[in-house]
Amino acid sequence: MIRQLIIEMSLSTSAKMLGAGRGLLCVSRLSKHTLPDLPYDFNALEPVISSEIMQLHHQKHHNTYVTNLNNLEEQIHNANEKKDISKLVSLQPAYKFNAGGHINHSILWQVMAKDGGEPSKELSAAIKRDFGSMEKMQEKLSAATIGVQGSGWGWLGICPVSKQLRIATCANQDPLEATTGLKPLFGIDVWEHAYYLQYKNVRPDYVKAVWKMPPRLPPLPALRDFIHLYKLRAKKILSQNFLMDMNITRKIVRAAGVRDGDWVCEVGPGPGGITRGILEAGASRVDVIEIDHRFIPALQHLSEAAEGRLHIHRADVLKTCVGEVWRENGFPSASHWLDDRAPPAHVIGNLPFNIASPLIIKYLREMSNRAGPWTCGRVPLTLTFQLEVARRLCSPIDNESRSRISIMAQMYTDPRLVFSEGISAATIIPGACFVPPPKVDVGVVRFVPRAVPAASSPFEVVEKLVRQVFHYRQKYVLKGLKTLYPEEIAEDRAHELLREVRVSPSTTSIRLGVEEYAAMAASARPLPITLDSLASLPNAVPAPYAYAHCSIMPSEGMRLRDFSV
């Protein structure tokens, strides 16, 4: 079955539509082309095609073709009146491009459907006759469409003479009928504006999604009604806030990169807002870890609707090993740590503010040791934080928001505020989107583990050093390093360490990059603490004593007169 994006036109109705399409090429000064209305809402095709893409595609791109086409026809009309043949010739490429864009997109909106379904019996029979099966037709059209060089379209068309179905591709906005003589039945737009915001430059994933829609959830009560149904209330003492806007939850899931067939662990699902978005995105297995028993019935309701894809674990996320959960259930495709492509797995969470920092430290420790979910490869991690903490995690060098957690996060991952490329312009989630609304806004950070961490030293050594340096963030870095050593040798050892890594003693913590901290951790060798080493220090107490006759304690013991001071 083709869900959502379907061949909705039968062989007979397609001819009528293209007859109307040919009318677009009539140059008239009296009639203007207009942007056709979408027969559904912008978000009707989610999660396959996002509301943002649909709005830009229809309101911006298609509208531009219509505007340009009207302007060109005005120019053509004037050139005809003046019999300016050179002008007419010069306008033809632009006219072909914009008229083709208007024709192609007018067809596209009609062959996309929000409810899914099967093609008509007549069209199904023709597909089976000419391709053998629906699946073979999909494979051939997908391969041809993916292979389009640059921008263009993949089409399923019908020859008006032989009545046979054929697959064709057209470059740019060349219309199918004018280019090949085929009448279009179904088209796939592979201009990047049709998919880049959601699928980046991975065209095969987009084309695959057109045909193989992920399983959708059956109709469920609205999230707000869901909360009232189960009488759920956020507990202030647990820093709980429910994210109610499903558009935002879906946006978080898209930013996390969840795709059809992926495995996802969601920490702190609450009433299941983000959980719904994950299931809608087509995840084949979703494990949710929730400690609050009040949310379990609501999550069980979702689990029943998800037909076995949602698994509930009532547990403390700080004490739960996600990797064990996945391994026990047969995680399908762990990848090598150095593979460029991440494994088909994700950890996602809208966390209570009071556990966000301890949890990210736990996960960073597991990343450094390749433990927990990171036994499966470089699994990306997407978490919500107070906006101040989110910006701190991604803070650059010499920024006042830079802190211990900035260094630790950037030492082992590449943290990015999602929805935007830069920190200052980052899209935030307003506190008003939550119930109850917190007094702060929220940011979403996606962590991609580094293939090679910046630090080779044990995580505990790095964390200890960074913590001590940032404990005196307003002081010189020397001040924090001295606290790592006994007072008697602190000055010498701290200066020695800074000389080795070529860092000025008078710099401050926020002016150092992760490379400098990694180098300091590597040079901060543990002290060989022994009784002899302590006894050799100035003013050692007790003073060093030597046994007068032998260096080994005799089994029968010793007398005081045998010692020499």
Side-chain angles (χ1 to χ4, degrees), residues 72 87-100 173-174:
L72 285 164
K87 182 67 172 178
L88 288 171
V89 171
S90 68
L91 292 173
Q92 290 309 304
Y95 186 78
K96 176 184 177 183
F97 179 79
N98 288 283
Q173 293 295 352
D174 294 355

Side-chain angles (χ1 to χ4, degrees), residues 268-282:
I274 294 179
T275 314
R276 293 189 185 200
I278 295 170
L279 292 168
E280 287 179 356

Side-chain angles (χ1 to χ4, degrees), residues 547 550-555 558:
Y547 185 50
C550 62
S551 59
I552 300 175
M553 176 75 71
S555 59
M558 64 185 72

Side-chain angles (χ1 to χ4, degrees), residues 8 25 44 58 65 138 140 149 195 262 275 278 293 301 335 362 388 403 476 485 510 529 557-558:
E8 196 177 56
L25 301 178
H58 180 262
Y65 296 131
Q138 292 175 1
K140 291 182 179 180
Q149 297 295 314
Y195 61 88
D262 287 356
T275 314
I278 295 170
H293 68 91
H301 189 142
S335 64
K362 164 186 161 68
E388 178 186 354
S403 67
Y476 292 150
Y485 302 102
I510 65 173
I529 303 297
M558 64 185 72

Side-chain angles (χ1 to χ4, degrees), residues 32 60 182 267 404 412 422 486 531:
K32 293 286 187 180
K60 299 293 184 181
L182 299 175
V267 296
R404 172 181 69 100
Y412 299 99
L531 288 175

Side-chain angles (χ1 to χ4, degrees), residues 13 36 46 58 63 86 106 112 114 130 173 205 210 220 229 239 350 355 440 449 471 473 488 498 506 513 538 544:
T13 58
E46 289 187 334
H58 180 262
N63 193 48
S86 295
S106 296
M112 301 169 82
K114 67 177 182 179
D130 295 331
Q173 293 295 352
D205 285 356
V210 168
L220 288 168
L229 176 66
S239 300
N350 173 31
I355 70 162
V440 295
H471 185 71
R473 59 176 292 122
E488 290 78 7
L498 290 172
S506 60

